[in-house]
Amino acid sequence: MKPDGPRQQIQPASLSRNLSRSDDDDDQNPNPNPNPPSIDQSLDAIENQLSSISMFQPDSLSEPRMESEELVNGSFDEIEELPAKPAGVEEEEKLKASSSRVWTNASEMEEVESPSSPSSSGYAGERGSSATSGIDNGDFDRVPDSLVPWTPGKRHGDEDDASISWRKRKKHFFILSHSGKPIYSRYGDEHKLAGFSATLQAIISFVENGGDHVKLVRAGKHQVVFLVKGPIYLVCISCTEEPYESLRGQLELLHGQMVLILTKSVNRCFEKNPKFDMTPLLGGTDVVFSSLIHSFSWNPATFLHAYTCLPLAYATRQAAGAILQDVADSGVLFAILMCRHKVISLVGAQKESLHPDDMLLLSNFVMSSESFRTSESFSPICLPRYNPMAFLFAYVHYLDVDTYLILLTTSSDAFYRLKDCRIRIETVLLKSNVLVEVQKSMLEGGMHVEDLSIDSASRSGPVSPHSSQSRLATDSTERLRDAFNGVGGPAGLWHFMYRSIYLNQYVSSEFSSTINSTQQQKKLYRAYLKLYASMHKKGIGPDKTQFRRDENYVMLCWVTQDFELYAAFDPLADKALAIKVCNRVCQWVKDVENEIFLLGASPFSW
Amino acid sequence: MPSRRRTLLKVIILGDSGVGKTSLMNQYVNKKFTNQYKATIGADFLTKEVQFEDRLFTLQIWDTAGQERFQSLGVAFYRGADCCVLCYDVNVMKSFDNLNNWREEFLIQASPSDPENFPFVVLGNKIDVDGGNSRVVSEKKARAWCASKGNIPYFETSAKDGTNVEEAFQCIAKNALKTGEEEELYLPDTIDVASSSQQRSTGCEC
């Protein structure tokens, strides 16, 4: 999906030209004012701006239809992403600007060691020698991992850097110490990869010796992303074409997960003794890391830095929140009730706030550790964004197969007190039918794009996915879907994600039938990652939109001070209609926000 | 993160260029030898699993380049080493004289917590050359130097025919293991309720 076909690129050079251009296009506006006054003024404003921008239309459908347009709130601004550039150039420029070293050419690494010739220094040996060749594998076949359902824990533990299969893995993650000792590898045996680990440390330290930092190495299709966290080095080697910023964010989370298990106090051990081996401290946590890495390909919370709620009737969530609040007042720091990765309710002690990343890491830790499911547990954990140096204590108990309660406290002897709290909470939840509602919601799913109505006179979607009103009620209203020959929602809407900025929560629609395989869902998330990264580069104003068409999707993104909307459409979707549908989605989200978000009494203090 | 406790030992091999560091390692790990000389660029890394007193551990061997132009890599390479192997060529006096420099350079760069007792092993290589006739450093002289530096274990080796290579690395592993035993205390804090709000570090940047 390299949009190197016809594309429109707008340079920031002349504002006046851009403005006049907008004017010129006004009469071509296919959809000058489609909204009745009841619709939020800002929605209309942005819609007008969007529709007033000229579009490139391919001459014929037989041509590869690729276009990419990015526009910034009416006045054209700098293009954030230039996909037509040769790979490497973009990163190089960026990294130059931040005065860091980047090698865009693998041959430069020969200063450290020769990447492609293991026998460069006289070895006749077949295995275990220089390992950088793993990132220089031009002839790269993909191992179809995605066809196999994800299983927890270390896979392919028998592999090492000499294994062909290991070299073909699409995405590697490594954690090592600053002396080059392996701590974690997603694939393969850490000890067998000791030589590879040493190579990574050599590269990082070699650059550091020059008073610089290595952030990224590009080698053919592969990106090698480095993150140095004191004495802990994290490396990702990927050929998934995810943006550098996304991969770096994933390394940050991986480090956060390590801190959640051990706190940053391990750094002190390295200060005292660089030989320090932390693998015994992490014993048995393999599965926590592999589960987090797996979530990078399906959980939007990993890049949206927001959490998501299980859709529930307002009263139901209120009932859950009330009893949690009750225990929070009696010395619990945070009380969190979750169903899988979705929040049912959460409360914090006065003035305490919980970062969405901490919630992600905590729920990943709880869900991936099998022992939490079998009995009530009390475990020291650290919330890296709350206090990375110190432990809290987590009381964890599964109320049913998917629903679990986490009570966080600062006192190590609170187990029995928290157990009593849990019994009280559980009783109330059962009595008020919350757990039954939770199960129902799990079965029904959240927002379905097929339910979105485009009739602007009525409400944008079903009043509530969880009220007594049936979804059928919308069938009588006009649905653009009928006019459009595709599947999914109106105007070819396949999927959307809406992130409320002040709530720090997001809602993601269910996948429409067009994106029903894990493979397709992964692909869509990668498209979202790119979109997200291009919208979050520094130096861009707060209000912006992006419309991007390639052979897979039409992607539409709209970022305001209040929310971010990401939507994926059929690649043949009409632009004006797509914009209209996005407005409806926002209205729909507003209509049901009582049920899809946790409102009020939020412990989030920003 | 293996569930079974395994130990990884970082071993650095130092010495002048051409004394046979890479050949020694190659003989040890791969049981192979070649007469062809290829200079090591920067460093090379090999791993070998070793059984020692019923324990399995992995040697992570850092084979460094002897040329001076690579010496800037020092700190990076030496950090966290469990053992340092000093090599010289018994047929080249200069390579023996330089052992002292290599040792001191290592101690400065790696700055181990207890430099007096840091485990070194000295290897006098190429004893096979010319049937020993071209030898210029006597075993006695070498042993005397080792004794003066805190009784460093000494081996006379031939990377070509494998003499003493296995024994030398067994000793290296043993010595590295000895100092690796001392455990660091890992004692993280827990949050004090009263002060927790002040301590909170990176709370709300989103």
Side-chain angles (χ1 to χ4, degrees):
Chain A
M1 53 169 284
K2 282 268 174 296
D4 45 7
R7 65 186 294 280
Q8 205 170 28
Q9 181 176 323
I10 300 123
Q11 296 298 340
S14 84
L15 186 65
S16 59
R17 184 181 148 263
N18 291 334
L19 286 172
S20 68
R21 184 179 177 145
S22 282
D23 293 339
D24 290 347
D25 293 334
D26 258 351
D27 39 0
Q28 295 170 15
N29 186 344
N31 199 0
N33 188 10
N35 289 330
S38 65
I39 305 296
D40 188 338
Q41 286 303 305
S42 69
L43 298 183
D44 291 338
I46 199 78
E47 181 165 339
N48 287 336
Q49 279 155 6
L50 271 173
S51 29
S52 69
I53 286 148
S54 76
M55 285 175 62
F56 176 87
Q57 292 292 1
D59 293 328
S60 94
L61 283 175
S62 60
E63 271 184 35
R65 295 171 324 94
M66 293 179 225
E67 70 182 275
S68 168
E69 298 173 50
E70 302 182 38
L71 20 124
V72 181
N73 205 19
S75 73
F76 299 110
D77 206 335
E78 196 177 3
I79 303 296
E80 305 99 355
E81 194 171 339
L82 301 172
K85 273 191 183 181
V89 173
E90 182 194 345
E91 293 302 335
E92 192 180 13
E93 283 176 357
K94 170 170 60 235
L95 293 168
K96 240 186 247 158
S98 58
S99 86
S100 280
R101 177 184 296 244
V102 60
W103 287 312
T104 50
N105 185 339
S107 68
E108 292 236 23
M109 296 202 301
E110 284 176 6
E111 266 198 89
V112 181
E113 77 174 297
S114 174
S116 56
S117 109
S119 56
S120 64
S121 40
Y123 289 131
E126 312 83 347
R127 49 150 296 171
S129 55
S130 75
T132 38
S133 41
I135 52 172
D136 193 35
N137 191 347
D139 184 20
F140 196 88
D141 291 324
R142 292 177 180 217
V143 179
D145 269 340
S146 42
L147 301 179
V148 186
W150 185 75
T151 43
K154 161 90 81 194
R155 290 181 300 167
H156 318 294
D158 50 332
E159 294 178 350
D160 61 34
D161 52 320
S163 322
I164 305 281
S165 55
W166 187 87
R167 292 181 178 216
K168 286 180 178 173
R169 307 258 164 240
K170 279 193 269 186
K171 204 168 171 187
H172 285 276
F173 283 93
F174 306 94
I175 309 178
L176 51 137
S177 79
H178 65 166
S179 66
K181 293 186 179 183
I183 294 169
Y184 171 79
S185 168
R186 183 188 191 190
Y187 300 113
D189 176 87
E190 284 85 3
H191 273 227
K192 285 186 187 161
L193 292 169
F196 187 77
S197 188
T199 312
L200 293 174
Q201 192 248 309
I203 293 169
I204 294 166
S205 301
F206 175 75
V207 178
E208 269 179 6
N209 262 7
D212 211 340
H213 299 282
V214 58
K215 286 175 149 183
L216 173 71
V217 175
R218 270 185 200 276
K221 282 191 226 163
H222 286 78
Q223 294 186 84
V224 189
V225 179
F226 298 88
L227 179 65
V228 172
K229 289 283 186 183
I232 310 290
Y233 295 170
L234 301 103
V235 181
C236 173
I237 301 179
S238 165
C239 65
T240 56
E241 293 182 340
E242 286 164 86
Y244 163 78
E245 294 78 7
S246 309
L247 296 173
R248 190 186 161 88
Q250 292 168 9
L251 289 178
E252 292 273 1
L253 284 172
L254 201 60
H255 180 254
Q257 191 73 72
M258 203 200 78
V259 173
L260 183 129
I261 297 166
L262 290 179
T263 78
K264 263 190 180 172
S265 309
V266 282
N267 291 10
R268 275 184 253 158
C269 300
F270 282 105
E271 277 161 31
K272 277 188 227 143
N273 175 15
K275 289 191 289 194
F276 181 68
D277 177 13
M278 63 186 284
T279 52
L281 292 175
L282 285 171
T285 57
D286 237 27
V287 68
V288 180
F289 291 100
S290 57
S291 150
L292 178 70
I293 291 167
H294 177 60
S295 74
F296 295 153
S297 65
W298 68 265
N299 190 346
T302 57
F303 65 92
L304 289 179
H305 304 290
Y307 69 98
T308 195
C309 286
L310 186 76
L312 282 175
Y314 183 70
T316 309
R317 201 186 308 281
Q318 283 291 98
I323 179 63
L324 293 186
Q325 188 64 58
D326 211 31
V327 302
D329 292 341
S330 64
V332 173
L333 199 59
F334 297 107
I336 310 162
L337 184 61
M338 295 187 77
C339 183
R340 295 194 194 160
H341 67 290
K342 296 181 175 179
V343 170
I344 297 165
S345 188
L346 84 115
V347 301
Q350 245 187 339
K351 290 184 192 160
E352 301 294 354
S353 61
L354 196 52
H355 194 282
D357 284 356
D358 282 351
M359 289 184 59
L360 169 75
L361 297 172
L362 180 60
S363 64
N364 178 63
F365 178 69
V366 169
M367 281 192 289
S368 60
S369 313
E370 200 53 43
S371 63
F372 285 122
R373 291 175 193 276
T374 51
S375 62
E376 57 187 333
S377 318
F378 195 63
S379 164
I381 59 106
C382 165
L383 297 179
R385 300 287 204 130
Y386 181 76
N387 183 337
M389 294 310 290
F391 270 138
L392 291 168
F393 297 90
Y395 173 92
V396 181
H397 184 74
Y398 270 83
L399 304 174
D400 62 35
V401 69
D402 295 316
T403 313
Y404 52 95
L405 175 72
I406 306 174
L407 301 173
L408 297 176
T409 177
T410 54
S411 79
S412 57
D413 54 3
F415 177 80
Y416 289 104
R417 194 158 48 81
L418 296 182
K419 184 189 173 80
D420 291 342
C421 289
R422 185 266 300 172
I423 293 167
R424 268 169 60 208
I425 293 169
E426 199 170 12
T427 311
V428 171
L429 292 179
L430 284 170
K431 230 183 259 173
S432 53
N433 235 15
V434 170
L435 294 178
V436 175
E437 292 295 320
V438 163
Q439 284 305 314
K440 230 191 322 184
S441 172
M442 284 292 286
L443 288 172
E444 280 174 18
M447 302 173 87
H448 298 261
V449 290
E450 291 84 357
D451 294 339
L452 178 65
S453 146
I454 199 70
D455 180 6
S456 50
S458 75
R459 311 200 61 167
S460 306
V463 173
S464 150
H466 300 280
S467 67
S468 51
Q469 238 177 308
S470 157
R471 271 192 225 144
L472 292 171
T474 55
D475 279 352
S476 55
T477 63
E478 181 206 347
R479 292 175 89 171
L480 239 160
R481 175 157 71 113
D482 300 336
F484 184 80
N485 255 352
V487 260
L493 175 65
W494 282 354
H495 188 260
F496 69 84
M497 296 190 302
Y498 177 104
R499 174 180 177 231
S500 161
I501 287 165
Y502 79 100
L503 289 175
N504 256 287
Q505 297 173 44
Y506 75 91
V507 63
S508 174
S509 74
E510 298 294 320
F511 288 105
S512 71
S513 56
T514 41
I515 337 173
N516 53 10
S517 75
T518 14
Q519 190 58 47
Q520 287 166 316
Q521 291 166 8
K522 243 185 188 177
K523 196 169 107 185
L524 177 60
Y525 274 129
R526 295 211 169 126
Y528 277 138
L529 275 183
K530 270 191 187 157
L531 193 61
Y532 182 90
S534 71
M535 294 297 276
H536 287 82
K537 295 202 169 159
K538 281 172 194 153
I540 312 225
D543 294 339
K544 48 194 168 69
T545 55
Q546 185 176 149
F547 182 89
R548 176 182 294 268
R549 189 195 296 276
D550 64 27
E551 71 271 31
N552 298 309
Y553 314 101
V554 157
M555 303 291 287
L556 218 152
C557 179
W558 180 13
V559 175
T560 73
Q561 279 173 330
D562 299 326
F563 66 85
E564 297 178 355
L565 178 72
Y566 301 87
F569 289 82
D570 186 295
L572 295 166
D574 176 78
K575 185 177 178 183
L577 284 178
I579 290 162
K580 197 173 167 185
V581 162
C582 282
N583 280 322
R584 292 298 163 275
V585 167
C586 292
Q587 189 57 47
W588 187 19
V589 168
K590 279 202 169 69
D591 288 346
V592 295
E593 66 178 359
N594 271 345
E595 282 136 26
I596 55 174
F597 292 135
L598 175 64
L599 300 173
S602 164
F604 295 87
S605 62
W606 46 78
Chain B
M1 282 150 286
S3 43
R4 185 167 47 104
R5 176 83 193 256
R6 286 188 298 176
T7 311
L8 186 124
L9 300 170
K10 176 172 175 177
V11 175
I12 311 272
I13 303 187
L14 298 176
D16 281 7
S17 63
V19 300
K21 297 180 292 297
T22 300
S23 296
L24 278 165
M25 194 160 87
N26 206 22
Q27 175 63 250
Y28 176 59
V29 176
N30 298 310
K31 303 270 178 289
K32 280 183 183 159
F33 178 80
T34 169
N35 264 318
Q36 251 182 334
Y37 175 71
K38 280 187 190 168
T40 303
I41 301 166
D44 246 308
F45 309 99
L46 277 178
T47 56
K48 172 131 174 148
E49 281 201 348
V50 185
Q51 184 101 29
F52 182 74
E53 286 173 0
D54 294 337
R55 275 180 71 185
L56 197 63
F57 53 94
T58 306
L59 290 187
Q60 181 192 51
I61 307 169
W62 293 56
D63 173 28
T64 62
Q67 286 82 2
E68 277 179 22
R69 69 178 192 277
F70 294 113
Q71 294 322 301
S72 67
L73 300 173
V75 193
F77 282 9
Y78 303 165
R79 188 191 301 143
D82 293 281
C83 181
C84 177
V85 182
L86 303 172
C87 301
Y88 76 98
D89 178 348
V90 296
N91 308 293
V92 181
M93 184 55 79
K94 184 94 171 65
S95 72
F96 176 74
D97 292 340
N98 274 338
L99 285 186
N100 207 39
N101 297 338
W102 283 111
R103 182 178 170 276
E104 279 177 9
E105 178 73 4
F106 175 85
L107 289 176
I108 290 166
Q109 301 268 23
S111 54
S113 47
D114 183 7
E116 293 305 308
N117 294 308
F118 187 87
F120 286 96
V121 173
V122 171
L123 304 184
N125 194 30
K126 301 196 187 179
I127 54 166
D128 59 280
V129 172
D130 204 9
N133 291 328
S134 58
R135 183 168 182 146
V136 294
V137 183
S138 70
E139 183 172 348
K140 195 179 159 202
K141 186 173 178 179
R143 288 198 182 278
W145 184 81
C146 289
S148 73
K149 299 296 173 189
N151 283 320
I152 300 177
Y154 175 71
F155 291 88
E156 302 224 315
T157 59
S158 162
K160 187 173 185 176
D161 58 29
T163 307
N164 262 341
V165 172
E166 190 69 36
E167 292 81 351
F169 275 89
Q170 273 291 324
C171 175
I172 290 161
K174 194 178 86 189
N175 283 13
L177 203 57
K178 209 162 48 192
T179 53
E181 291 297 278
E182 39 178 291
E183 280 303 314
E184 278 308 308
L185 281 178
Y186 161 69
L187 288 171
D189 308 326
T190 52
I191 294 177
D192 175 8
V193 190
S195 59
S196 64
S197 32
Q198 284 87 8
Q199 279 178 7
R200 242 190 299 140
S201 57
T202 50
C204 350
E205 51 210 339
C206 280

